[in-house]
Amino acid sequence: MSEIEIESRNLDLWYGSAQALKNITMAMPEKKVTAIIGPSGCGKSTFLRCINRMNDLVKDCRITGELLFEGTDVYGNSVDAVELRKKIGMVFQKPNPFPMSIYDNVAYGPRVHGLRNREELDRIVEESLKASALWNEVGDIPDRSAIDLSGGQQQRLCIARTLAVKPKVILFDEPCSALDPISTAKIEDLINTLKHDYTIVIVTHNMQQAARVSDHTAFFLLGELIEFGKTKQIFELPEKKSTEDYITGRFG
Amino acid sequence: MTSLISPATSNRAAKVMLWVSASIAILTLMFILGYIVVQGLPVLTLSFLLESPRLSGAEGGILPAIVGTFCLMLVTLLSAVPIGIGAAIYLAEYAHEGAVTRIISFGVECLAGIPSIVIGLFGYAFLAIYLGFGFSILSGGLALMFMVLPWVVRVSEESLKAVPGGLREASLALGATKWQTVSRVVLPSAVPGITTGVILGIGKAIGETAVIMFTAGSSLLMPTSLFDPVRALPYHLYILASEGISDKMAYGSSVVLLVMVLAINLAAVAIQRHYGRHHVRN
Ligand SMILES: Nc1ncnc2c1ncn2[C@@H]1O[C@H](COP(=O)(O)OP(=O)(O)OP(=O)(O)O)[C@@H](O)[C@H]1O
Ligand SMILES: [Mg+2]
């Protein structure tokens, strides 16, 4: 049994008066991949964005309950969202590289956190590009604009950029939904490698993907957590009828 | 019901009419430019550019007016850019949409709508008299700043708001602070747009006469400090022409003014190129 890294307890979330998350209680273990599945609008992204407090940016967003990271409530008074996000990285649905060079994209995080030493930066950039399986493709063109890369390369660059900050957790919000099958396969391979060092939470609409990459799966429906368990069990022996219906494509 | 004119004919007619409109627009421009250049060229010598005027400008050159114009632009630029961009950043990134932002935006709109002669009068009363800056580069430059500020604020705000939200989220998700995000990601992405706004503002200001005649003075002497009066080029050519001093000299001054405007625009293009190199290419 591995340690629990992230745990939500009775988490409720409202956007204005609309409740988007209802009493979510689940625990995500360390260095495992947890997949979140469910139909569009069921609150997957919302839940993911609670973990690194990206919902702080949304006006009129109100949260009750607890969200523990390493045992501390991330919404507690003593927690600084900026510090928290150094430990909990996020990769978004749409690749969003900065309009800068490849190098500057990866070095952005370390620089923002005060690193100036060029050799150290070089080392981190190389490491991160290697870890995101991009080094072979862009290692010799670090000064090229990131905007010129393909969508799949851009997404791996975004992963490299996240790795460069050395987080403990990486949140993926449908990282492959804008990518072709080959790029998708590369990202999935990458996730399978990264899970040895990072705790990963991934939102996906792709059932096969959830089955391939995750250890645990959570099924959300209309803001509620319907079922959470080992991926194998969720896919082979779901306890709830709605889970089974969703997985087998009978609704969604 | 079928139309009497076939689609192919109307297509051809539309093409001809658009071509005619475009030609008229371009020809008008060419004519104005050509006329001014032809009229002004005879007086355009090195000494015209490098000498001080004699006999109220009927002879000699226009160097003090060129220098004065540059100084005014510099004061305007150095004051309008930080204040304008600062205000725009506040409006676009920090202020929550609400009463305060609406009041500020409304104020900015109003400032944009004030006729330049009124700004000149205000500049005279407030800068020249009340603050004691007198007729000077400082008074003139700051009065022009009042005039261009709305442009700079509005265009900068639009450019900042046009930066994709995904970039802000990406930066914040890496543990950057709001200010780091704004200064390192959002602002650089908005630079091309902001530059255009500033250039538009400066382009407006450089040809402005009403504001500076109340604030910058009309001295033809070479300025030696910010507190010296100057006569800017447009005002110089206005006096040359309206007081019948010398039409030739007025056209010569116009050509120099046009070249300065052109130079500013080229600088803007260069800046846009420099910052635009990371933007999506098709
Ligand atoms: N910023 C916001 N302001 C108000 N309502 C929001 C906001 N973001 C999301 N919602 C609402 O919250 C609910 C959950 O949205 P969320 O984006 O979490 O769904 P999702 O499961 O990620 O869907 P998808 O699979 O389409 O990405 C939806 O009803 C959505 O309309
Ligand atoms: Mg989503």
Side-chain angles (χ1 to χ4, degrees):
Chain A
M1 239 341 252
S2 54
E3 300 263 324
I4 296 304
E5 178 111 55
I6 305 163
E7 187 176 0
S8 84
R9 290 187 188 154
N10 308 106
L11 195 77
D12 290 305
L13 181 145
W14 288 264
Y15 289 119
S17 59
Q19 188 165 8
L21 292 177
K22 294 171 191 160
N23 200 27
I24 307 290
T25 298
M26 66 188 256
M28 288 147 271
E30 192 182 13
K31 296 191 182 167
K32 296 276 182 224
V33 179
T34 304
I36 301 179
I37 59 171
S40 193
C42 67
K44 306 179 296 294
S45 300
T46 299
F47 180 72
L48 204 66
R49 294 163 59 93
C50 284
I51 301 175
N52 65 344
R53 287 187 51 177
M54 286 306 272
N55 285 326
D56 288 14
L57 311 176
V58 181
K59 216 182 147 201
D60 296 331
C61 173
R62 194 160 57 80
I63 294 168
T64 63
E66 282 179 304
L67 206 149
L68 308 179
F69 169 60
E70 296 181 325
T72 341
D73 188 357
V74 302
Y75 289 95
N77 290 333
S78 61
V79 176
D80 176 7
V82 170
E83 289 301 315
L84 179 77
R85 293 184 196 127
K86 290 184 195 172
K87 296 191 205 124
I88 306 182
M90 185 167 214
V91 176
F92 298 82
Q93 175 171 4
K94 207 167 148 256
N96 52 4
F98 300 129
M100 307 169 181
S101 70
I102 292 168
Y103 185 99
D104 290 341
N105 261 276
V106 184
Y108 182 84
R111 279 180 176 151
V112 152
H113 303 140
L115 186 64
R116 288 279 164 276
N117 183 314
R118 183 72 196 204
E119 278 153 38
E120 183 78 350
L121 282 171
D122 286 351
R123 199 180 52 71
I124 292 178
V125 169
E126 181 173 341
E127 253 176 38
S128 308
L129 287 173
K130 279 180 175 158
S132 64
L134 200 55
W135 180 254
N136 289 339
E137 288 155 71
V138 306
D140 51 346
I141 48 164
D143 295 326
R144 191 78 77 71
S145 170
I147 305 299
D148 293 340
L149 297 175
S150 76
Q153 289 173 327
Q154 288 188 6
Q155 195 62 305
R156 276 178 286 145
L157 181 67
C158 292
I159 295 173
R161 183 173 68 180
T162 302
L163 297 180
V165 179
K166 303 195 185 341
K168 304 188 83 169
V169 178
I170 306 178
L171 311 172
F172 288 89
D173 193 350
E174 298 184 46
C176 304
S177 66
L179 306 183
D180 65 285
I182 292 172
S183 303
T184 300
K186 282 188 185 162
I187 304 252
E188 285 182 17
D189 286 347
L190 193 53
I191 290 173
N192 274 322
T193 322
L194 291 175
K195 76 171 178 187
H196 300 300
D197 300 307
Y198 304 89
T199 303
I200 291 173
V201 186
I202 178 171
V203 168
T204 175
H205 274 288
N206 181 329
M207 292 307 116
Q208 287 82 26
Q209 182 168 73
R212 277 193 300 261
V213 302
S214 70
D215 302 293
H216 295 84
T217 295
F219 172 59
F220 278 51
L221 186 60
L222 298 171
E224 287 180 76
L225 175 62
I226 303 296
E227 198 168 344
F228 177 66
K230 288 251 163 55
T231 297
K232 204 167 149 53
Q233 176 248 313
I234 296 278
F235 277 85
E236 286 169 11
L237 270 178
E239 280 170 16
K240 302 273 169 53
K241 175 89 170 53
S242 53
T243 313
E244 188 180 345
D245 287 349
Y246 183 71
I247 287 168
T248 52
R250 253 172 285 166
F251 82 74
Chain B
M1 198 186 97
T2 48
S3 167
L4 291 174
I5 307 162
S6 79
T9 313
S10 63
N11 187 35
R12 219 170 305 131
K15 208 166 157 186
V16 170
M17 260 142 70
L18 295 175
W19 186 85
V20 169
S21 309
S23 305
I24 291 175
I26 290 175
L27 284 177
T28 315
L29 184 71
M30 303 272 276
F31 179 72
I32 296 176
L33 284 180
Y35 186 78
I36 291 170
V37 170
V38 167
Q39 296 284 318
L41 222 47
V43 297
L44 267 190
T45 57
L46 211 55
S47 60
F48 180 70
L49 296 176
L50 298 180
E51 279 177 18
S52 285
R54 293 186 301 275
L55 304 173
S56 308
E59 281 175 28
I62 54 165
L63 184 63
I66 296 178
V67 172
T69 302
F70 264 116
C71 294
L72 287 170
M73 289 311 113
L74 213 60
V75 171
T76 306
L77 200 66
L78 292 181
S79 54
V81 166
I83 298 176
I85 295 181
I89 291 177
Y90 176 75
L91 287 173
E93 305 289 329
Y94 285 86
H96 288 293
E97 212 66 45
V100 178
T101 52
R102 273 200 297 276
I103 290 172
I104 297 178
S105 301
F106 181 68
V108 168
E109 297 290 319
C110 287
L111 195 56
I114 299 176
S116 55
I117 190 91
V118 177
I119 293 198
L121 203 59
F122 169 77
Y124 170 72
F126 181 67
L127 299 165
I129 305 298
Y130 181 75
L131 292 181
F133 295 161
F135 286 127
S136 64
I137 295 173
L138 192 60
S139 295
L142 292 179
L144 287 173
M145 181 265 280
F146 295 143
M147 212 190 72
V148 303
L149 201 54
W151 280 97
V152 179
V153 174
R154 203 175 323 143
V155 182
S156 304
E157 191 187 346
E158 301 282 310
S159 315
L160 290 167
K161 283 185 171 163
V163 175
L167 294 183
R168 290 184 185 80
E169 291 203 325
S171 171
L172 292 170
L174 290 167
T177 61
K178 176 134 189 182
W179 174 242
Q180 287 171 329
T181 300
V182 169
S183 60
R184 298 182 189 210
V185 174
V186 182
L187 198 54
S189 304
V191 161
I194 292 176
T195 311
T196 314
V198 171
I199 296 301
L200 277 176
I202 293 296
K204 236 167 98 84
I206 200 169
E208 187 50 56
T209 321
V211 171
I212 46 170
M213 63 188 205
F214 279 127
T215 50
S218 84
S219 163
L220 280 171
L221 297 177
M222 188 62 91
T224 54
S225 90
L226 274 183
F227 295 96
D228 280 354
V230 287
R231 183 191 288 183
L233 266 178
Y235 190 33
H236 183 55
L237 84 86
Y238 168 74
I239 291 179
L240 288 179
S242 67
E243 296 184 2
I245 296 170
S246 165
D247 278 359
K248 281 273 167 238
M249 292 300 203
Y251 280 114
S253 307
S254 306
V255 175
V256 174
L257 194 55
L258 285 178
V259 169
M260 284 171 84
V261 172
L262 194 69
I264 290 178
N265 280 301
L266 288 179
V269 171
I271 294 174
Q272 283 183 332
R273 284 255 170 84
H274 177 74
Y275 278 95
R277 79 207 135 103
H278 288 296
H279 288 271
V280 190
R281 295 170 194 135
N282 296 313

